[in-house]
Amino acid sequence: MFYVNQLNYPHVPYNHNMANGGPPEGRTSVGTSGCGLCCASMVVAHQTGKELPIEEYVKLSEENLANQDLGTNMKVLGPVLAKLFNLEYVQSSDKDEMIAWLQNGGEAIVHCQGDKSDHIGLFSHRGHYILATAMVGDVVQILDPSDKPEKYEIDGRKGKVRKEEPFLYVAPELVDEACYDDRIHFHMFKKK
C-alpha cells in the first residue's frame, strides 16, 4: 500500500502558519509540519491510483490557503482534494460514522491532539494527522506519516498500538480519545 513518511522530506520547504508570521523556527519543512500533506497524498493515491509528488500537495495547500495556521487546515484542503480528484468528502467527529465509512471502502484523515497534563498523546506530542485506512476486525488500521521505530515504545503509548509495518492497529476508542478538542476529528474520503 502506498505510504508516505514526512520524515523523509526535511529538504522540502513548507510555508505554513502564514496568518501568524510564517513557520516557527525549526518547523519549516514537510519533514516537520507536513503530516496533513502526507495523509492527503496517501488518501488520493489509495482512492484514485494517482501517486503525486509531495511537492504537489505543498503547492495545493499554499495556493488554496490551507497553510494559514500551523501545518495544514484539512477543513480547507479536504474540499479542494474532493473536487480535484472526484472524491466524496464528509467531515465528522462521530467515531461510529468513521467506523462505518472505513467499513464501506473509505478512508479518514484523523486530526489527533497531543499531550495533556495528565497523559501522553497517543500519536504525537502535539497536533498531528494520521490516516485511518480500514477496519480490520474490531481495530482501526492506520498509516502514521511520522512513524519511526521507537515512537510507540514510550511510556503512555506502549501496548496501545500493534505495529505491522507500515500499519498500526489501534482500538477505535483510542483513536477517538486522541481527538479530544472541538476541532473536526475525521476528514473522510471515498472514491465516487
Side-chain angles (χ1 to χ4, degrees):
M1 179 168 277
F2 184 72
Y3 171 66
V4 179
N5 191 313
Q6 72 187 83
L7 303 177
N8 294 330
Y9 298 98
H11 60 286
V12 177
Y14 182 36
N15 294 313
H16 63 102
N17 201 38
M18 300 312 289
N20 303 297
E25 186 175 338
R27 296 188 61 198
T28 59
S29 73
V30 170
T32 57
S33 304
C35 55
L37 302 176
C38 293
C39 286
S41 72
M42 289 188 281
V43 80
V44 167
H46 301 163
Q47 295 296 316
T48 71
K50 295 178 181 170
E51 296 178 11
L52 303 175
I54 199 66
E55 291 84 356
E56 291 297 317
Y57 293 95
V58 170
K59 185 178 172 185
L60 274 176
S61 178
E62 292 175 353
E63 286 178 349
N64 291 282
L65 304 180
N67 66 334
Q68 296 303 293
D69 299 318
L70 286 173
T72 305
N73 185 335
M74 204 55 64
K75 288 189 297 187
V76 175
L77 189 60
V80 171
L81 296 173
K83 183 176 181 183
L84 188 61
F85 296 103
N86 197 31
L87 298 169
E88 288 183 51
Y89 172 63
V90 174
Q91 298 176 355
S92 177
S93 292
D94 183 291
K95 169 183 60 89
D96 293 330
E97 190 174 352
M98 184 263 301
I99 289 170
W101 191 267
L102 297 177
Q103 290 171 330
N104 286 296
E107 295 178 296
I109 296 176
V110 180
H111 193 189
C112 307
Q113 300 308 308
D115 298 346
K116 292 194 292 189
S117 60
D118 59 342
H119 85 280
I120 299 294
L122 181 57
F123 298 103
S124 179
H125 293 298
R126 56 180 158 225
H128 185 48
Y129 288 110
I130 59 173
L131 181 63
T133 61
M135 287 297 296
V136 177
D138 60 353
V139 294
V140 181
Q141 178 177 272
I142 290 170
L143 291 171
D144 177 357
S146 71
D147 193 15
K148 54 188 175 185
E150 70 281 2
K151 184 173 183 178
Y152 294 98
E153 295 301 315
I154 67 170
D155 289 342
R157 293 181 186 157
K158 194 169 186 169
K160 295 180 179 179
V161 174
R162 179 170 51 94
K163 282 183 84 165
E164 291 180 18
E165 299 290 343
F167 297 108
L168 309 175
Y169 296 92
V170 183
E173 295 75 23
L174 292 177
V175 174
D176 195 42
E177 286 173 16
C179 308
Y180 55 77
D181 72 358
D182 60 356
R183 297 178 207 183
I184 303 229
H185 299 174
F186 310 117
H187 297 269
M188 303 185 296
F189 299 85
K190 185 167 34 174
K191 183 170 46 177
K192 285 186 178 177

